[in-house]
Every structure is written in C-alpha cells, then in structure tokens.
Amino acid sequence: MATQDNCEEGDNKSNDNMCKEVKASLAHSTVALVEEEPEEIDPWDMPKLKDTGVPWSALDTKGKVWRVLVSVGKFILLLGFLYIFICSLDVLSSAFQLVGGKAAGDIFQDNSVLSNPLAGLVIGVLVTLLVQSSSTSSSIVVSMVSSGLLSVRLAVPIIMGTNIGTSVTNTLVAMTQAGDRSTFRRAFAGATVHDFFNWLSVLVLLPLEIASGYLYEVTKLIIDSFQIESGEAPELLNVITDIVTESIIQLDQSVINGIATGDPAARNKSLIKIWCHTFTNTSLMNVTVPGPDNCTSPSLCWVDGNYTITLKNVSETCNLQKCKHIFVNVNLPDLAVGLILLALSLLVLCSCLILIVKLLNSMLKGQVASVIKKILNTDFPFPFGWVTGYIAIFVGAGMTFIVQSSSVFTSAITPLVGIGVISIERAYPLSLGSNIGTTTTAILAAMASPGETLANSLHIALVHFLFNISGILLWYPIPFTRIPIRLAKSLGNITATYRWFAAVYIISFFFILPLFIFSLSLAGWKVMVGVGVPLVAMLILIVVINVLQKRKPRCLPAALRSWDYLPLWAHSLEPWDKLVGAFIAKCCCCCKCCQLAVEGEEHKEKECVENNNKSHIAVYDNPAMSAEKEVENEFNLELNILKNTRL
C-alpha cells in the first residue's frame, strides 16, 4: 500500500521510475491471474490469402498494364496445366488398364462368385482400382448384361462397387499436398468426404437392395413405363483431350469386354490398338461344314463325296490404316507399356498439380481471392440459404458432364480445398453432384446401345443413377445427416498430426478391407456370418461408446468413460507414430551407411589403383629391379615344381 501511495504522489523522477515498474508488475500479475486461456484457432477456418503485392491504386499506367499482362499469362498457364493434368489422368487410366485390364476381365467371368452380393461389391471396387476408371468397369458390366452372361440383379452390387473404387483417385491426389500440415488437413478431408459418402451409402443401400430389390424394381418400372429411343453419348471435353491422349496411346476396349464375356480369341489379343481404320466385307461363300445339320438351309446345301458344302455369309476384316500413337510399332508387351505410361503419367500428374497449386496461390490474393471465395462459399440470404447446396450439386453434375469423369472433377477441386478457396462444406455437395454427372454420361452411353440390348444397358445405368440419388437423400438434405463431413474432418485432423496414417487409410479401405471381405465371401455364407457379424457388432459397439464418451459420459459405467485402462497402443496413435518414425530413421540411417560403405569401397579402389600405378611407375623407372624380380620369380617357380615331383 505504501508503494501505491508513493506512486500516486510522484514527487521525483526516481519515484516515478519505481512507480512505473510497480504498475507494470502489478498489471502483469493481474493478467496472469485473471486472463482466460486464448481461444484455440479452428483449423477448418478458411485461411486469409494476403495480398503481398503493391495495391492497384498505387500503380502507375505501366505497372497496371504489366500486372494485367502477368495475370493473363498466369491464367493461360493455369488452363494449360489443367489441360495437361486432365490428359495425364486419362493416360493414367489407360496405363492401369494395360497393367490390369485382362485381370479385370478374368475377375468378371466367375458367375458363381458374382452371385454373392458382397463378392460382387468387392469385385466392382477392385476392378475399378485396377483400371482406374468407373466408366470402363461399368462398360464391362453393361456388355456382360447385354450379352446375357450376367443378370441385371446380380450387376447391381458391382455398380455400387465401381462408385467406391472411382473415389480413390482424388484421395491419391490429396497425398501430393502432404508438405504443409494445414493444407494437407483440408485437402485430405476434401477428398475423403467423397469416400465416406460412397461407403455410407453402400452400408445402407446394399442390405436394403438384398432384402427388397429396391434399386432393381424402381428402375425396372421406369424402363417398362417409357419408350426410350436409342441415342448417342456426346463427346464434350474428350474432343479436346483426345488430340493429346490418342497421340500417346489408344486402347481396344473390346478386348477387355471379350475376355469378360468369355471370348477365347480376345485372350491372345493386345489391348494396344494397332489398326484404327478397318473395312469389313461380308459375302456369300462356299463353306465346308461337318454335316447337313450344319447347313444354312436345305436349299443351300449339297454333298460332294465325303464333304458337305453350304452357302454362308463370311465376314472378312481388311486393315486399312494404322493408328498414329507412340506405341503403335513398339514391340513390347502390354505390361511393359502400362508400367512405362504409369510412371510417366504419375510424374506429369504430380508436377502439374504442384504447379497448379503454386499458380493458384500466386493468383488468388487480395480482392480476387475475396471475390472468388464469396462466390463459392457464400449462402443465399435467409430463408433461401438451403438452396445454395443444391445449386452446388447441379454445378458439380454439370461440370462432371462436361469433363465426362468424376475423378477428374473431384481431383481438380481437391487442391482448391487444400489452399482454402473452397470450404469442406461446399466441396461436399460439389462431390455429390459429380456422382450424378458421371451417371448421366453412362445413361447417354447406354442409350447408344443396339435396340435388342438397349433395355438391359439402360436398366444398369439407371440403377447407378438411382443409387447416387438415394445416397444424396440419405446424407445431405438434413444438416444432421451430413455425417461424411464430420468423418472427413476427423480423418483430416488425424492425418495432419500423423501424416503416415493417410497411406494406412488408403491401403486399408481400398485394398485390405475389400480383399478380406472377398475372401470371406469365397468361404461361404456360414463363415461370412460367423466372422463378419461379431466384427461388425464390435465395431458398432466401439463407435457407440466413443460417441457417448464425448457427449454423455455419465450414461456409461466409470470404467468405460475413457479408454485409459487399455494399453496405450490400443487407443492412441502416438506409440505407432514413434514406431514409424524409428523405422523411417533406421531406413534413412541404413541408406546413409550403405552410401558411406560404397563411397569407402570406391575410395579403397582408388587407393589400390593409385598404389599399383605407383609400383608400375617405380618398376618402369628402375629396369634393373624389374629384371631381378623376374629372375627371382622364375627361380621360385622351378623350386616349387621340383618339390611337387618329389612328393
């Protein structure tokens, strides 16, 4: 109190200085006692893209012209890189088809396996992963249904699987942004929101389809009610991209379809298309047949000695012009060409993606960034705010229809989510729209089928469309049901802390889990129920306990209010992170040791060579010594021969 009184009086300078120190200390102590902890920054808030350049108003005429020219140049470069990015995705799909296309056709052949819905679902996932194109795997299914080898009802789970398999591409694209933690959090969540939507839709709609045939029956009513004429699928963006992709590689899709439909001649054919222009000539010719029963008709059949001859239409295909892609005259197997294209397309894909992100970061600054972010992320005013999401769905469907690939569209918006231009909440309806857009393309492609196979082809395409519409009705209209957004954010937080977990997620959900389910389905229903039901029940129980621990812990017994009674490795990723870190450090250490060992051996070799050179030089410099050395060597050799003969 005395100190405070002295401070109030303020008689001299020394007293004033002491007063200031005391006030500062009192203020600091008060803040330390009463100040609340600073609020944590939400990692999902849209980052502010600061404009580090000179403001427009501060530029002279020359500076403004230069900035406009630079901006136009960057925009042209962005379009160019985006074009190359789309082309590389197309080439990547072709590469995967060359590597695993024939295996995909073989997988579809076993109808006894396809009769199991879970096996059909997993086959759809794995085949789409093999060929990296849902349109290719869907076309295989359509061709099998059209040829009568597969019924529409059995093809429904396979179509669901293709929906899941196609979502891995944008997840892999998000992996290329693992350099920055916050960017990777948003990009990986923006990519996996599509995955979670597809998985959750399958978890609900597949049991419903098995129990009631909901998708099959509704689409059958639509097919029976409308007389739909055949049409032709339009080519929009493909007209532009095919100029580049067809100059690199062209594939013969009929080979995969032929293998799937059981054509033995297709197995020995290459997927690489050699002849682009052919002519088929059909003419009546005399053909020798085994017997009269094999004749075209009794009037066109006669016997000449031991031979039965009939008139028959014979088609001959004449090759007119070769294709003009790079690998048309390369004598390499499909696997080798596929691996070459796979490596090159991945290199170009990653390079383009990095350059696109760099360009977007340099372009989206200041007022430009704020305008774009407002357009993409602002909702309509009350009470029409709910309309914004549905408009985003239509935008996603329209853009996917233009590029004719949901993988291309979702992969293109993933880096935008990463740098903070598009929010997760806006990326979700855009991804849902891309699912619808890819099915409309499939419907138009099915309408191009011949009249006798039009109904079945269109039936499958409508099943795909209704599946996505039903999924949207389940997981979008009510905000509470938008579970994929919450799951994607949780996974984004985990992968931002433990970046290695992203690779674990991709391998587990897209390879290990489908293969595990497939092996259970092969073992039969009894094994599947005996192993699958306890695992699913345990998983549901763990999820329920986790939700109750966060929201209503009092409802749980004291022992279950946390997982602390379990070993740390069973409820935390921290021990696994240390293990992965130690493994990576050991690998790096081994690589360094190997490198040092190689360098040491090279150093020793150099020393040996230098010593030999020195010895040779010494001998050359002293001929007398070299002559004495030769005489001594000859004497030792004769002495050894004499010893050996005596023995």
Side-chain angles (χ1 to χ4, degrees), residues 42-47 174 177 182-194 196 376-377 379 389 392 413-432 476 482-493:
D42 186 2
W44 299 104
D45 283 342
M46 302 288 285
Q177 294 184 275
S182 58
T183 301
F184 185 52
R185 175 190 280 111
R186 288 189 296 270
F188 201 76
T192 52
V193 73
H194 193 200
F196 285 119
L376 292 175
N377 301 298
D379 294 334
I413 67 172
T414 296
L416 294 176
V417 177
I419 64 175
V421 176
I422 300 176
S423 65
I424 305 293
E425 288 75 14
R426 186 65 72 242
Y428 180 51
L430 288 171
S431 299
L432 301 187
Y476 187 75
R482 295 171 189 174
I483 300 173
I485 296 177
R486 295 196 289 274
L487 291 175
K489 284 186 174 182
S490 299
L491 184 61
N493 288 328

Side-chain angles (χ1 to χ4, degrees), residues 600-614:
E601 289 179 1
E602 290 177 353
H603 183 65
K604 287 180 181 179
E605 288 178 0
K606 286 180 181 178
E607 286 183 350
C608 291
V609 171
E610 288 175 359
N611 292 333
N612 289 331
N613 290 336
K614 287 178 182 177

Side-chain angles (χ1 to χ4, degrees), residues 369-482:
S370 61
V371 168
I372 292 175
K373 287 170 72 173
K374 281 181 181 179
I375 292 172
L376 292 175
N377 301 298
T378 304
D379 294 334
F380 284 107
F382 182 83
F384 301 105
W386 58 273
V387 179
T388 313
Y390 295 98
I391 292 177
I393 291 175
F394 282 109
V395 170
M399 292 300 296
T400 306
F401 181 75
I402 291 172
V403 300
Q404 294 198 351
S405 172
S406 60
S407 299
V408 169
F409 177 72
T410 53
S411 299
I413 67 172
T414 296
L416 294 176
V417 177
I419 64 175
V421 176
I422 300 176
S423 65
I424 305 293
E425 288 75 14
R426 186 65 72 242
Y428 180 51
L430 288 171
S431 299
L432 301 187
S434 72
N435 274 2
I436 297 175
T438 194
T439 58
T440 55
T441 307
I443 290 170
L444 290 172
M447 290 177 67
S449 303
E452 62 273 10
T453 61
L454 174 64
N456 288 336
S457 302
L458 199 56
H459 197 168
I460 283 294
L462 286 177
V463 163
H464 198 185
F465 178 76
L466 184 61
F467 169 74
N468 284 301
I469 292 292
S470 301
I472 291 172
L473 293 176
L474 282 171
W475 309 115
Y476 187 75
I478 306 171
F480 174 76
T481 61
R482 295 171 189 174

Side-chain angles (χ1 to χ4, degrees), residues 314-328:
V314 177
S315 297
E316 289 182 327
T317 301
C318 302
N319 297 320
L320 300 179
Q321 185 180 356
K322 278 189 172 183
C323 300
K324 295 181 180 179
H325 56 85
I326 297 172
F327 295 94
V328 67

